[in-house]
Amino acid sequence: MAHIFLTDSQFAGRYDNHRSWPWRRLKLDPDFPKPVKLSPGCTRWKLADVEAWEAAKSGDAE
C-alpha cells in the first residue's frame, strides 16, 4: 500500500496556517502526528496519521 505524504506547507494549509505551524504544534502537543524523515532534508507527515489525529481531536476515533 502506497502512503501519501504531506509537506509542512500542505499540512498547515489544511488549517489555513503558516508552514511553521506543524513544527510549533509538534513541540506543544504530545498527541500530534510525528513526521517521517524520508531523506536528509525531506521530512513529511503521513496523510493517514494526520487524518487519524484529526478524527481523534473531533471525537470520531474508534
Side-chain angles (χ1 to χ4, degrees), residues 29-52:
D29 184 352
D31 297 325
F32 197 72
K34 305 296 184 252
V36 177
K37 190 168 187 88
L38 299 177
S39 66
C42 182
T43 304
R44 302 288 188 262
W45 279 264
K46 284 185 187 177
L47 179 59
D49 293 347
V50 171
E51 290 173 338

Side-chain angles (χ1 to χ4, degrees), residues 3-9 11-12 19-39 41-50 53:
H3 294 287
I4 297 173
F5 294 95
L6 301 176
T7 64
D8 50 8
S9 295
F11 191 1
R19 66 180 286 217
S20 62
W21 173 82
W23 299 106
R24 288 191 317 266
R25 185 77 188 239
L26 185 62
K27 293 178 183 179
L28 301 173
D29 184 352
D31 297 325
F32 197 72
K34 305 296 184 252
V36 177
K37 190 168 187 88
L38 299 177
S39 66
C42 182
T43 304
R44 302 288 188 262
W45 279 264
K46 284 185 187 177
L47 179 59
D49 293 347
V50 171
W53 174 75

